[in-house]
């Protein structure tokens, strides 16, 4: 089985001074038994490229180059030092109207640039309350995850939209139900679907990480707010190492 993964998404946060947090994290986890990925703003990728951690972009364009002002290609992220890229984060889906086909195209662009795609999926509160969570997950998996996905080029992040940045976390049973469902879909569709890592994301903190990591088919976490400070992210990494 691949190593578990603790991934941090800094979103639109972080200046060069914030690299001190990563230095501290590096000192505390220089021999980590789990993979650690940091997705800083793209402006900091090249400054992070010599760190011990894997570095990822937060988004990429589906094209290699061209007239797309303000966008970055997967190849540019790789050139700057990234090894991963998030695709389909709910904030991209909501703020930029990205649909499943767009997310799949971005993920294929990631593969073409030799980046690992961390493909994000998850239901809204309305979808959860109307009982359609699993069918939403099915649609997102079918539409956002390319046929070329393997355990070597893809990580799935299950992030209920209503849990991102809200402090609300699904019950462990709810997380377990969705992760088992995703695992079943991945093994149905991909020969190595049993090895594809499935992260949970949404208000993960040091105080709830160990319980979440005890849920079957949770292979790590995608962490937003609590990844910004070494003191907050470090206990999550330690909990994953102990899981
Ligand atoms: C995220 O941004 O992917 C996320 C899960 O954020 P938070 O941990 O702050 O809920």
């Amino acid at each position: 089985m691949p190593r578990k993964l603790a991934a941090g998404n800094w979103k639109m946060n972080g200046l060069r001074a914030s690299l001190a947090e990563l230095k501290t994290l590096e000192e505390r986890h220089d021999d980590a038994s789990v993979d650690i990925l940091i997705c800083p703003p793209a402006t900091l990728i090249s400054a992070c490229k010599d760190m011990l951690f894997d570095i990822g972009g937060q988004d990429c364009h589906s094209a290699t180059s061209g007239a797309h002002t303000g966008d970055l290609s997967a190849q540019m992220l790789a050139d700057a030092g990234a090894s991963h890229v998030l695709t389909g984060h709910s904030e991209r889906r909501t703020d930029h109207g990205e649909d499943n086909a767009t997310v799949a195209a971005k993920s294929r662009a990631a593969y073409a640039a030799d980046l690992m795609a961390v493909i994000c999926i998850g239901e809204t509160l309305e979808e959860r309350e109307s009982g359609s969570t699993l069918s939403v997950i099915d649609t997102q998996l079918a539409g956002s995850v390319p046929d070329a996905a393997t355990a070597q080029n893809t990580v799935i992040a299950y992030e209920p939209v209503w849990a991102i940045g809200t402090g609300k976390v699904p019950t462990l049973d709810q997380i377990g139900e969705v992760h088992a469902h995703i695992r079943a879909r991945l093994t149905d569709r991909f020969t190595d679907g049993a090895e594809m890592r499935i992260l949970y994301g949404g208000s993960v903190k040091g105080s709830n990480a160990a319980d979440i990591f005890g849920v079957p088919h949770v292979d790590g976490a995608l962490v937003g707010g609590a990844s910004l400070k070494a003191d907050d992210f470090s206990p999550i990494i330690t909990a994953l190492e102990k899981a």
Side-chain angles (χ1 to χ4, degrees):
M1 284 298 286
R3 298 208 313 170
K4 299 199 168 179
L5 173 62
N9 170 19
W10 279 17
K11 312 191 189 202
M12 200 173 72
N13 298 293
L15 302 173
R16 279 180 297 163
S18 322
L19 298 176
E21 293 295 331
L22 288 184
K23 286 272 169 234
T24 306
L25 206 61
E26 213 171 23
E27 282 159 21
R28 290 187 195 165
H29 297 282
D30 61 344
D31 59 352
S33 60
V34 298
D35 289 341
I36 300 172
L37 166 68
I38 303 291
C39 300
T43 47
L44 292 180
I45 290 176
S46 65
C48 293
K49 72 178 188 316
D50 295 325
M51 293 197 158
L52 289 177
F53 312 133
D54 290 326
I55 301 300
Q58 299 176 9
D59 174 53
C60 65
H61 197 278
S62 56
T64 315
S65 60
H68 303 291
T69 302
D71 282 318
L72 295 172
S73 71
Q75 202 178 27
M76 289 168 177
L77 298 175
D79 187 53
S83 53
H84 293 61
V85 63
L86 307 181
T87 59
H89 190 282
S90 74
E91 287 152 17
R92 299 292 313 177
R93 291 178 186 261
T94 304
D95 296 356
H96 299 270
E98 294 185 6
D99 60 12
N100 289 319
T102 306
V103 177
K106 290 181 176 213
S107 304
R108 283 192 293 272
Y111 303 159
D114 282 331
L115 295 182
M116 184 168 286
V118 180
I119 304 177
C120 305
I121 58 174
E123 81 286 0
T124 63
L125 186 58
E126 198 182 11
E127 290 163 342
R128 161 72 55 185
E129 287 177 346
S130 68
S132 53
T133 297
L134 298 183
S135 68
V136 168
I137 294 297
D138 282 345
T139 304
Q140 292 180 333
L141 282 175
S144 306
V145 182
D147 289 336
T150 69
Q152 270 65 54
N153 64 20
T154 299
V155 172
I156 305 296
Y158 167 55
E159 300 204 298
V161 178
W162 52 276
I164 296 178
T166 59
K168 292 184 191 144
V169 182
T171 65
L172 299 180
D173 284 348
Q174 287 172 325
I175 295 173
E177 180 189 35
V178 178
H179 277 244
H181 185 82
I182 294 171
R183 175 68 68 215
R185 289 289 180 263
L186 295 177
T187 50
D188 281 351
R189 185 170 161 203
F190 300 105
T191 48
D192 63 356
E195 284 97 58
M196 219 175 263
R197 287 174 291 183
I198 308 171
L199 309 183
Y200 168 77
S203 297
V204 176
K205 305 189 231 17
S207 55
N208 60 21
D211 286 342
I212 292 170
F213 295 149
V215 175
H217 306 295
V218 173
D219 304 311
L222 178 56
V223 183
S227 69
L228 292 170
K229 298 277 176 214
D231 283 348
D232 295 331
F233 199 32
S234 185
I236 296 172
I237 295 169
T238 302
L240 189 58
E241 288 182 305
K242 289 183 181 160

